[in-house]
């Protein structure tokens, strides 16, 4: 999953409705076959590959991306599996019990700044179908060490050996971006997909702020970033490698220097551009044995000048416009900076129900003209039950800014529905952009199992495009909030008093009062008068 | 309510109201003014205290040491500014980039409705530069703003230097949870307005500007900085914003906390803070500060760039470095530490500033008057209008019934016969005509400036002001144009009905204004209420007093600053005393009084009072010149920032005042 969104947790799972019906049957089979015990004839094959990619970003910051991939040739949902080796049992049971098709869970702190850092490195698979998808975002959750520890425990070597020794919490959380994720998905074992294996990818990407850690210099080393060095590979891993992006942007090979010198290099087309990586294989004894540890260092021979970083072809910005507490407008700016190619973008927005969207105000303009989306799916919100869902396919003209805006009204919540800190505001989750962006260089189709892990997360259907999924920033919207303190009570009380007084005064003003002669009296008096009249005495 | 629904008691009550009306009115007015003057004294003023938990208990340790760096930046900035003659945009961009910010620019242009002669600008175009420090711990959902306005005269260089040095210092810290925007605006407030409108993607005032490329979520608080020298003797803080809006009191408390911590000398309204509140000196000085604040708030102008932020519910204040002839001076490090402390505390905020007061008056930095305590002053003044209206209403009824129930009270059948007798139709013409005068006053000056410049030898700005005054004065001829509609049958009923309507209209307007901008409401009520209450076509039966009043005004004018607080009460005494004098009716005298309390005259009077309180008294000619400038600025601020004082006076209070003028000249 590309974790490109702001401090938040995302849970994404795919479960086919049909699977629910099949589950009791599978359980039954398990019960019948279980005691027989001949299902364990040959233990399922599993393997672990670990990899660290270090990329100097266009802005001068350094991104480090860890990937740990466990692949298990076992049909977890069909076979009764009770023996786990590399694959974590907790997740395996989750798959078999809930008939999970696919699961992506990520925890992120900070925000991936696409405009300055380029397109995000880790991306979601392109084959998700939103129709079956369950998608949820919690934008106000923060991520901390207590999320990292259980994540590390899922690793076969934990943090004892291999690349995971670098995962030291106090360094990882002193970064401008931190995103850890778990991706579970089935992969085909052969070309016809007659049987599947399960793949678990644990990824962690961090962006080190070169400005703070390097006092203005852009040199870095493993020790400076993680305050650890690499000493040995994880003995359980079949492959343990470090890749360093040494692509020089200005065709001048003399600008940077890596130490120790790499034994091999690797070249490929990543995200539409040709990249060169220095490869360090931890299983290669020569690398570790020299000094008992590996501390990779990169020095810029001449400091890179402060030129504007190359702007990626697709980036986006989202904000709330307007002021006051009644109405507002959600605006999303989509930038296509490609000089001559237009491409379509799928925009997915989920907006909480307490922002009441006015769908008739949805406007999409690019280059001053109205841009009609080729597909719109809108599912209105239900109060307290479900959010708005708005999905559109928009063609972005070449070299343009497209503005998607929709007005909303801020709803008044019931007074018990406010959070304990209502004046902080309410979060609106980021919108999701999925696009096939034209490449600069045509990419060759690659063999998944052979190529590095970072290459195989984003398969390209044809070489002229690459898939990008971006997340815009989450928004903070203020809702009309009662003052829950003393003045609120005072206002309530005063309003009650005023209401009571108003009623009486209105009554007084609209009525005419007359002085009426007193009536002739009650029954007793009348009787008395009758008797008096009969007696000839004047009445009372 | 039983008291009112019993006809006998009701009649008695009505009689009481009628008989004691005049004393009650005077009492109420005196009570209102006295209450207001008492606001500066301890039982009504309270000590300020920090309400916001997140900013309260924990102290931060300021580490800013970049004084030399700030001075270096300021020197370079000044040099580049002198060379280019405008804001050195490219240099600023480069420098902000070099300290590690994300830098963006925004260009804007605005054609003012007429040339602004005080700032010497008409067609304005400029560029704002801002850099965003991205907080590592958040996803750009919230931000803080530090802004420095640069106008065409080359001041404020040191503020830009300090801003850059602070940016460099802040960039090296890892604790930021809110993005920080460092904004340098050109053409001071016009630039700020352009930036704010573009940031919130709205167009309120018709300014043209390029859209913003970079944003940083919801702005939680803003601080504007104005410094013109390397060293300061004190920091002055301005809180009054557009249309009298004020920032949350906690922001001011925060500033005061760090002033005390750093030992900085802080002033409010340019006045030093008295520490001694037990004797009379402190409150008296507080009263001066309070009056200054009331005058500034009533003007509805943004007194610094912070004033424009308040519309977007961004709590903001402006800090001005003052360099006077005091011995002890502070350098930029002290100012920088104060700002650093404030920003670090604001960074702690979990919620928007909302705990403390939004509506308050300040007799000193450490003392405040809350809304619950100052509102009665306006309430007492408005009660006069209510009492007068009640009296008129009853008299109208009485007149309708005839003399069957002498002594007042609404008789049994009082409601029906007078309804036709009040002659509401006769009120339509004066109401419509005076309202039309108001509309003309609002529209014509700016609309007709070109016609005026073609036919008269004046500049546009002069034309606007002169047209304004001309239309204002032309309104005085209104009664003569409405005479033809007045029915001759019931001459008394006519003016009484008109006055009744005018009183209610005035009370409603002043009530609404006092709720949103107390100072403006109170000032207008204090001047307009007495004359509005006693206006009569024949002149008042026992009158006023122009000798007394003019004497009082003279005294007022000559009074020494320290005795000023007493002189209004004195005025009242003489006024009160004059009430008992029986003077034969004299309409011209009365008209003069009404003119003296019209909204324009109030403005003129306020200007004199303002300068008097600042201990820089005006001569008459200077005052008049300042008055003309203020008129032009008022109109201009309505068009450029959306200030509401001009439309409020032109469309609301001026027509209302004309109604009273009409009453006075009723035949």
């Amino acid at each position: 999953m590309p974790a490109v969104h702001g401090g938040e947790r995302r849970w994404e799972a795919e479960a086919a409705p049909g699977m629910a019906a099949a589950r009791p049957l599978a359980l039954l089979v398990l019960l019948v076959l279980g005691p027989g015990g001949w299902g364990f004839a040959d233990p399922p094959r599993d393997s672990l590959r670990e990899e660290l990619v270090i990329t100097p970003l266009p802005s001068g910051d350094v991104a480090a991306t860890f990937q740990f991939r466990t692949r298990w040739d076992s049909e977890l949902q069909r076979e009764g599996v009770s023996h786990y080796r590399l694959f974590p049992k907790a997740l395996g049971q989750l798959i078999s019990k809930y008939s999970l098709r696919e699961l992506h869970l990520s925890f992120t702190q900070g925000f991936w700044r696409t405009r300055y850092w380029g397109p995000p490195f880790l991306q979601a698979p392109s084959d998700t179908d939103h129709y079956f998808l369950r998608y949820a975002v919690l934008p106000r959750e923060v991520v901390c060490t207590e999320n990292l520890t259980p994540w590390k425990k899922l690793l076969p070597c934990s943090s004892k050996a291999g690349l995971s020794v670098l995962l030291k919490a106090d360094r990882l959380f002193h970064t401008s971006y931190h995103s850890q994720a778990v991706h579970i998905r089935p992969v085909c074992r052969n070309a016809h997909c007659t049987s599947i294996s399960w793949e678990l990818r644990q990824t962690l990407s961090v962006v080190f702020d070169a400005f703070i850690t390097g006092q203005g210099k852009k040199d870095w080393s493993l020790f400076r970033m993680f305050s650890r060095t690499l000493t040995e590979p994880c003995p359980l891993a079949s492959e343990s490698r470090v890749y360093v992006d040494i692509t020089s942007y200005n065709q001048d090979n003399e600008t940077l220097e890596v130490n120790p010198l790499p034994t091999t290099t690797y070249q490929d087309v990543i995200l539409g551009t040709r990249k060169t990586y220095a490869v360090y294989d931890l299983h290669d004894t020569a690398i570790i044995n020299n000094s008992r540890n590996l501390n990779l260092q990169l020095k810029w021979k001449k400091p890179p000048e402060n030129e504007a970083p190359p702007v990626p072809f697709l980036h986006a910005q989202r904000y709330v416009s307007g002021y006051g507490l009644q109405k507002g407008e959600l605006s999303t700016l989509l930038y296509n900076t490609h000089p001559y190619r237009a491409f379509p973008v799928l925009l997915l927005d989920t907006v909480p129900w307490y922002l009441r969207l006015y769908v008739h105000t949805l406007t999409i303009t690019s280059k001053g003209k109205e841009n009609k989306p080729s597909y719109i799916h809108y599912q209105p919100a239900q109060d307290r039950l479900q959010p708005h869902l708005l999905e559109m396919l928009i063609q972005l003209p070449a070299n343009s800014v497209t503005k998607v805006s929709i007005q909303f009204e801020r709803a008044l919540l019931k007074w018990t529905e406010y959070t304990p800190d209502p004046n902080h505001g309410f979060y609106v989750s980021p919108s999701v952009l999925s696009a096939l962006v034209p490449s600069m260089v045509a990419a060759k189709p690659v063999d998944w199992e052979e190529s590095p892990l970072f290459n195989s997360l984003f398969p390209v259907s044809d070489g002229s495009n690459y898939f990008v999924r971006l997340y815009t920033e989450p928004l903070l919207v203020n809702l009309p909030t009662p003052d829950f303190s003393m003045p609120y009570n005072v206002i309530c009380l005063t309003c009650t008093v005023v209401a009571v007084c108003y009623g009486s005064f209105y009554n007084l003003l609209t009525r005419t009062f007359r002085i009426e002669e007193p009536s002739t009296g009650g029954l007793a008096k009348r009787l008395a008068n009758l008797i008096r009249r009969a007696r000839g005495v004047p009445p009372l | 309510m039983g008291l009112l629904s019993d006809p006998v008691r009701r009649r008695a009550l009505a009689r009481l109201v009628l008989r004691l009306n005049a004393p009650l009115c005077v009492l109420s007015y005196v009570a209102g003014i006295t209450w207001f003057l008492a606001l500066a004294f301890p039982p009504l003023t309270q000590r300020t205290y920090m309400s916001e938990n997140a900013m309260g208990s924990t102290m931060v340790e300021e580490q800013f040491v970049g004084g030399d760096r700030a001075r270096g930046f300021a020197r370079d900035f000044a040099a580049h500014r002198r060379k280019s003659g405008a804001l050195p945009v490219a240099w600023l961009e480069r420098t902000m980039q070099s300290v590690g910010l994300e830098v963006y620019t925004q260009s804007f242009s605005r054609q003012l409705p007429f040339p602004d002669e005080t700032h010497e600008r008409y067609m304005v175009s400029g560029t704002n530069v801002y850099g965003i420090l991205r907080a590592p711990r958040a996803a750009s959902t919230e931000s803080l703003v530090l802004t420095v306005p640069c106008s065409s005269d080359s001041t404020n260089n040191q503020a830009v230097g300090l801003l850059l040095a602070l940016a460099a210092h802040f960039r090296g810290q890892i604790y930021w949870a809110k993005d920080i925007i460092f904004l340098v605006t050109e053409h001071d407030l016009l630039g700020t307005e352009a930036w704010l409108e573009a940031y919130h993607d709205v167009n309120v005032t018709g300014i043209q500007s390029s859209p913003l490329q970079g944003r940083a979520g919801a702005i939680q608080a803003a601080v504007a900085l104005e410094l013109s020298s390397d060293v300061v003797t004190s920091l002055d803080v301005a809180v009054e914003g557009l249309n009298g809006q004020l920032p949350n009191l906690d922001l001011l408390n925060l500033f005061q906390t760090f002033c005390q911590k750093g030992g900085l000398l802080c002033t409010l309204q340019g006045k030093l803070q008295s520490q001694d509140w037990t004797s009379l000196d402190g409150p008296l000085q507080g009263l001066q500060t309070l009056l200054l604040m009331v005058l500034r708030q009533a003007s509805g102008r943004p007194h610094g760039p912070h004033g424009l932020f308040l519309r977007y519910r961004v709590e903001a204040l402006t800090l001005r470095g003052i360099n006077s002839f005091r011995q002890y001076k502070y350098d930029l490090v002290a100012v920088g530490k104060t700002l650093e402390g404030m920003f670090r505390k604001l960074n702690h905020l979990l919620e928007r500033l909302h705990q403390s007061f939004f509506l308050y008056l300040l007799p000193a930095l450490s003392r405040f008057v809350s809304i619950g305590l100052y509102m009665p002053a306006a309430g007492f003044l408005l009660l006069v209008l209510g009492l007068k209206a009640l009296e008129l209403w009853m008299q109208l009824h009485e007149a309708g019934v005839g003399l069957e129930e002498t002594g007042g009270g609404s008789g049994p059948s009082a409601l029906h016969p007078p309804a036709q007798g009040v002659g509401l139709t006769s009120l339509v013409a004066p109401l419509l005509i005076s309202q039309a005068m108001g509309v003309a006053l609002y529209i014509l000056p700016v609309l007709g400036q070109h016609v005026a410049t073609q036919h008269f030898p004046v500049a546009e700005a002069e034309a606007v002001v002169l047209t304004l005054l001309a239309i204002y004065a032309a309104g005085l001829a209104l009664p003569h144009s409405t005479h033809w509609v007045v029915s001759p049958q019931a001459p008394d009923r006519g003016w009484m009905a008109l006055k009744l309507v005018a009183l209610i209209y005035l009370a409603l307007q002043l009530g609404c204004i006092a709720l949103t901008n107390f100072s403006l409401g109170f000032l207008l009520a204090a001047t307009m209420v007495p004359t509005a209450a006693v206006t009569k076509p024949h002149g008042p039966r026992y009158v006023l007093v122009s000798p007394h009043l003019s004497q009082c005004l003279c005294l007022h004018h000559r009074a020494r600053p320290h005795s000023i607080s007493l002189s209004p009460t004195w005025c009242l005494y003489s006024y009160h005393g004059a009430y008992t004098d029986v003077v034969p009716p004299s309409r011209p005298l009365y008209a003069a009084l009404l003119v003296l309390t019209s909204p324009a005259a109030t403005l003129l009077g306020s200007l004199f009072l303002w300068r008097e309180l600042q201990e820089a008294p005006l001569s008459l000619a200077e005052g008049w010149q300042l008055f003309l400038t203020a008129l032009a600025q008022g109109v201009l601020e309505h068009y450029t920032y959306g200030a509401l004082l001009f439309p409020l006076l032109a469309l609301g209070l001026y027509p209302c005042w004309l109604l009273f003028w009409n009453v006075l000249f009723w035949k």
Side-chain angles (χ1 to χ4, degrees), chain B residues 33-205:
Chain B
I33 299 288
T34 320
W35 188 289
F36 176 76
L37 294 175
L39 285 181
F41 291 84
L44 290 179
T45 56
Q46 297 160 345
R47 277 194 166 279
T48 53
Y49 53 91
M50 187 76 85
S51 301
E52 177 61 60
N53 247 341
M55 299 196 307
S57 53
T58 55
M59 253 358 229
V60 293
E61 188 193 343
E62 301 91 342
Q63 293 160 335
F64 177 71
V65 285
D68 292 334
R69 205 163 179 197
R71 274 187 292 278
F73 279 136
R75 253 194 318 275
D76 289 359
F77 176 74
H80 280 90
R81 195 179 183 185
R82 226 175 297 121
K83 210 191 301 169
S84 64
L87 196 71
V89 176
W91 181 84
L92 266 176
E93 274 189 278
R94 239 185 0 260
T95 317
M96 281 188 177
Q97 244 153 24
S98 73
V99 300
L101 304 182
E102 259 182 54
V103 189
Y104 303 92
T105 56
Q106 181 217 11
S107 54
F108 63 92
S109 66
R110 175 83 164 92
Q111 184 183 358
L112 301 180
F114 55 89
D116 180 355
E117 293 194 333
T118 41
H119 296 98
E120 293 174 355
R121 58 193 181 190
Y122 180 42
M123 306 276 285
V124 179
S125 66
T127 311
N128 296 329
V129 184
Y130 65 104
I132 305 180
L133 190 166
R134 294 295 184 187
R137 311 205 165 263
S140 295
T141 49
E142 296 167 271
S143 54
L144 306 171
V145 174
L146 176 61
T147 175
V148 169
C150 289
S151 51
S152 46
D153 54 343
S154 55
T155 52
N156 237 2
N157 296 332
Q158 280 75 13
V160 176
L162 186 56
L163 173 129
L164 291 170
L166 274 174
H169 173 67
F170 286 180
R171 183 66 178 82
Q173 313 304 320
I174 51 163
Y175 43 68
W176 297 114
K178 294 179 173 58
D179 288 7
I180 302 177
I181 304 176
F182 296 91
L183 168 68
V184 179
T185 60
E186 201 172 1
H187 299 296
D188 47 41
L189 269 65
L190 279 178
T192 315
E193 179 67 29
W195 188 83
L196 277 169
E197 286 188 16
Y199 193 90
H200 294 92
D201 202 6
V202 288
N203 199 335
V204 186
T205 59

Side-chain angles (χ1 to χ4, degrees), chain B residues 445-518:
Chain B
V446 174
L447 201 69
Q449 53 171 321
H450 299 299
V451 182
T453 44
Q454 276 165 15
H455 292 88
F456 302 98
V458 284
E460 277 97 340
E462 281 176 317
V464 170
V465 174
L466 293 179
T467 322
L468 209 61
L469 287 175
I471 296 177
Y472 197 90
L476 303 187
L478 174 69
H480 306 286
S481 56
T482 52
H483 279 157
W484 55 274
V485 271
V486 178
S487 64
Q489 283 88 11
D492 261 1
R493 305 186 60 78
W495 73 259
M496 281 162 105
L498 183 61
K499 191 180 165 188
L500 178 63
V501 169
L503 280 175
I504 293 173
Y505 189 27
L506 183 66
L508 277 178
Q509 284 193 36
L510 290 180
C512 292
I513 295 173
L515 281 180
T516 49
N517 184 351
F518 167 79

Side-chain angles (χ1 to χ4, degrees), chain A residues 123-135:
Chain A
Q123 297 185 354
S126 59
D127 56 356
T128 47
D129 184 357
H130 287 301
Y131 198 69
F132 292 112
L133 198 74
R134 303 210 178 141
Y135 171 75

Side-chain angles (χ1 to χ4, degrees), chain A residues 463-501:
Chain A
S464 60
N465 292 321
Y466 62 97
F467 177 79
V468 167
R469 180 171 289 167
L470 296 182
Y471 292 81
T472 59
E473 47 271 76
L475 300 177
L476 195 56
V477 180
N478 269 85
L479 293 187
T481 312
D483 186 351
F484 290 105
S485 54
M486 176 68 186
Y488 181 55
N489 306 338
V490 174
I491 289 168
C492 288
L493 198 69
T494 322
C495 288
T496 317
V497 171
V498 166
V500 168
C501 288

Side-chain angles (χ1 to χ4, degrees), chain A residues 6 113 116 173-174 176 209 211-212 317 319 321-323 403 421 423-424 474 476 478 504 508 513, chain B residues 1 4-5 10 99 102 104 134 137 139-142 171 174 200-202 213 215 312 350-352 354:
Chain A
R113 308 193 183 279
Y116 289 88
F173 286 100
H174 272 185
S176 14
D209 188 344
F211 197 90
I212 291 181
Q317 187 193 7
Y319 56 90
S321 39
Y323 60 92
K403 182 175 177 186
D421 52 350
N423 281 291
H424 177 67
L476 195 56
N478 269 85
S504 315
L508 273 177
F513 294 95
Chain B
M1 292 302 122
L4 287 177
S5 50
R10 184 168 156 147
V99 300
E102 259 182 54
Y104 303 92
R134 294 295 184 187
R137 311 205 165 263
S140 295
T141 49
E142 296 167 271
R171 183 66 178 82
I174 51 163
H200 294 92
D201 202 6
V202 288
Q213 298 281 319
R215 284 188 173 75
Y312 303 92
L350 294 175
E351 299 182 64
R352 255 167 210 277
H354 71 286

